[in-house]
């Protein structure tokens, strides 16, 4: 039967049929375009993007589509974000006395200089043999620079103190330095508090409810290290992991990785500029004082 006769039989015009057929072709072509772009975005993110971020990335590519549509296409493609698991808060077992002592002093501090606030944390790294390694690091809050770090097979208070001693030997900060960390047992130990007391430093801890947010810079560094380095290179042993971490921190993160919070400068460049500004201010003060005396 002809198209014209079929259209009349079902009560439609011939033009309506062609409009529907061409519309379906356009819709299929658009779907193919969206899916191809989605897969490119998903692969470039190493599988870390879910529907919300892919939707936003598509808009940056000039493709406006609803999040629900992206979600449905992801289901058709059988892909999902590898970062879908939510953080589960653990119940605390602090005593009332200890609870009162855990204060976030860094939160209310106006940080405008180096060696004013140091943040610390320990993260675990799963090795190929099924065992865990633990990376302890110390960051200068103002410049985001990793001052000291160490990878160990055991998470102990001694590991924390070794890294801190290295940081002190490298920077030699003044009294009153704020040592900010989470509420881990190592950071609440008597050894750690004695170290802080003898170095005339002040202990600061994340709050009970906002633990991750209160140490966001340190958490972000560990996440970047894993996603940008370890998950990509997939080290086979403890020594390989140790070498990759050294190359990432010393060769990339401190020297070349740009931070939006630092005006898109690396931590090393930011510290150089900061020290240069301080030097210029000192010269100006000396010049002004000498002019006044004359």
């Amino acid at each position: 039967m002809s198209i014209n006769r079929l259209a009349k039989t079902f009560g439609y015009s011939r033009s309506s049929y062609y409009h529907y057929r061409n519309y379906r072709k356009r819709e299929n072509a658009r779907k193919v375009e969206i899916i191809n772009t989605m897969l490119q975005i998903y692969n470039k993110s190493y599988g870390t993007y879910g529907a919300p971020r892919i939707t936003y990335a598509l808009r940056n590519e000039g493709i406006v589509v609803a999040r629900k549509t992206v979600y449905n296409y992801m289901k058709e493609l059988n892909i999902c974000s590898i970062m879908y698991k939510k953080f589960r808060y653990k119940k605390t077992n602090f005593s009332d006395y200890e609870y009162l002592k855990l204060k976030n002093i860094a939160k209310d501090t106006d940080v405008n200089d180096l060696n004013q606030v140091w943040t610390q944390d320990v993260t675990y790294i799963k090795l190929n043999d099924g065992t865990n390694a633990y990376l302890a690091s110390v960051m200068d809050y103002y410049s985001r620079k990793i001052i000291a770090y160490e990878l160990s097979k055991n998470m102990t208070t001694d590991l924390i103190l070794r890294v801190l001693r290295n940081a002190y030997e490298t920077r030699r900060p003044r009294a009153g330095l704020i040592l900010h960390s989470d509420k881990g047992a190592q950071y609440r130990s008597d050894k750690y508090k004695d170290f802080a007391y003898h170095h005339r430093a002040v202990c600061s801890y994340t709050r009970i409810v906002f633990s991750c947010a209160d140490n966001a810079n340190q958490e972000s560094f560990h996440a970047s290290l894993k996603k940008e380095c370890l998950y990509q290179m997939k080290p086979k042993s403890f020594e390989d992991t140790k070498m990759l971490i050294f190359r990432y921190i010393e060769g990339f993160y401190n020297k070349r990785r740009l931070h939006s919070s630092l005006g898109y400068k690396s931590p090393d460049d930011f510290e150089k500029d900061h020290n240069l500004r301080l030097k210029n201010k000192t010269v100006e003060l000396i010049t002004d004082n000498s002019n006044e005396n004359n």
Side-chain angles (χ1 to χ4, degrees):
M1 295 178 68
S2 65
I3 299 297
N4 191 37
R5 187 174 179 183
L6 282 171
K8 286 183 178 180
T9 301
F10 290 102
Y12 292 99
S13 65
R14 191 165 178 263
S15 60
S16 296
Y17 164 74
Y18 283 111
H19 174 77
Y20 173 77
R21 191 181 69 174
N22 294 333
Y23 172 80
R24 292 291 296 180
K25 285 182 178 179
R26 288 196 301 271
E27 281 297 300
N28 288 335
R30 174 174 166 80
K31 182 177 180 180
V32 170
E33 179 189 8
I34 292 172
I35 286 178
N36 287 337
T37 310
M38 280 176 56
L39 287 173
Q40 291 176 11
I41 294 169
Y42 179 79
N43 291 330
K44 285 181 180 179
S45 75
Y46 303 105
T48 61
Y49 280 9
R53 287 188 177 182
I54 290 179
T55 303
Y56 187 81
L58 284 170
R59 290 175 183 174
N60 289 339
E61 298 289 334
I63 301 175
V64 180
V65 63
R67 183 188 299 182
K68 181 68 174 176
T69 303
V70 173
Y71 174 77
N72 290 334
Y73 288 170
M74 290 182 72
K75 285 185 69 176
E76 288 183 26
L77 297 169
N78 195 27
I79 60 174
C80 64
S81 170
I82 62 173
M83 309 294 288
Y84 66 93
K85 290 185 178 179
K86 294 184 177 180
F87 178 79
R88 292 185 179 180
Y89 288 95
K90 296 180 180 179
K91 293 183 179 180
T92 59
N93 56 352
F94 304 136
S95 65
D96 293 339
Y97 173 77
E98 197 171 20
Y99 180 84
L100 294 173
K101 299 289 284 186
L102 298 177
K103 295 182 179 180
N104 189 340
I105 300 171
K107 179 176 67 73
D108 300 321
T109 302
D110 183 19
V111 183
N112 52 25
D113 198 3
L114 301 173
N115 301 323
Q116 192 176 350
V117 176
W118 288 356
T119 60
Q120 309 165 82
D121 196 14
V122 180
T123 187
Y124 84 93
I125 300 168
K126 199 166 191 63
L127 303 178
N128 278 353
D129 60 4
T131 61
N132 290 333
Y134 301 91
L135 176 68
S137 58
V138 177
M139 172 190 286
D140 189 294
Y141 183 86
Y142 185 61
S143 69
R144 306 296 195 267
K145 181 172 182 175
I146 301 301
I147 307 166
Y149 58 94
E150 182 180 329
L151 186 70
S152 174
K153 294 182 179 180
N154 300 297
M155 186 170 64
T156 62
T157 303
D158 289 338
L159 169 64
I160 304 300
L161 295 180
R162 284 198 302 271
V163 176
L164 261 182
R165 289 191 188 98
N166 290 338
Y168 263 86
E169 290 174 4
T170 302
R171 305 287 279 225
R172 300 191 181 280
R174 300 184 298 271
L177 169 67
I178 297 175
L179 298 175
H180 184 68
S181 66
D182 61 19
K183 302 171 292 294
Q186 293 80 13
Y187 295 109
R188 293 184 287 116
S189 66
D190 292 336
K191 281 186 177 182
Y192 176 82
K193 292 177 182 177
D194 287 342
F195 179 93
Y197 175 79
H198 287 299
H199 288 80
R200 293 183 291 174
V202 181
C203 294
S204 173
Y205 296 95
T206 56
R207 290 170 290 176
I208 299 296
V209 180
F210 303 101
S211 181
C212 294
D214 282 357
N215 205 10
N217 294 332
Q218 198 77 28
E219 299 279 354
S220 177
F221 160 68
H222 286 153
S224 298
L225 168 68
K226 292 177 180 179
K227 288 189 289 186
E228 297 175 0
C229 178
L230 299 180
Y231 292 163
Q232 308 307 317
M233 304 303 293
K234 298 179 181 178
K236 296 180 180 179
S237 65
F238 178 85
E239 293 301 326
D240 288 345
T241 305
K242 192 173 182 178
M243 179 57 68
L244 283 176
I245 291 172
F246 171 81
R247 287 168 53 187
Y248 179 82
I249 295 176
E250 303 294 348
F252 177 66
Y253 185 87
N254 282 341
K255 290 185 178 181
R256 295 189 289 115
R257 192 179 191 277
L258 305 181
H259 292 250
S260 58
S261 60
L262 303 179
Y264 291 96
K265 297 178 182 178
S266 69
D268 277 353
D269 289 340
F270 181 82
E271 289 197 356
K272 288 177 183 176
D273 291 346
H274 175 74
N275 291 330
L276 183 61
R277 287 196 301 269
L278 291 180
K279 185 178 179 180
N280 292 337
K281 283 184 180 180
T282 303
V283 172
E284 289 176 3
L285 288 173
I286 294 173
T287 303
D288 292 342
N289 290 333
S290 62
N291 291 336
E292 289 177 2
N293 293 332
N294 294 332

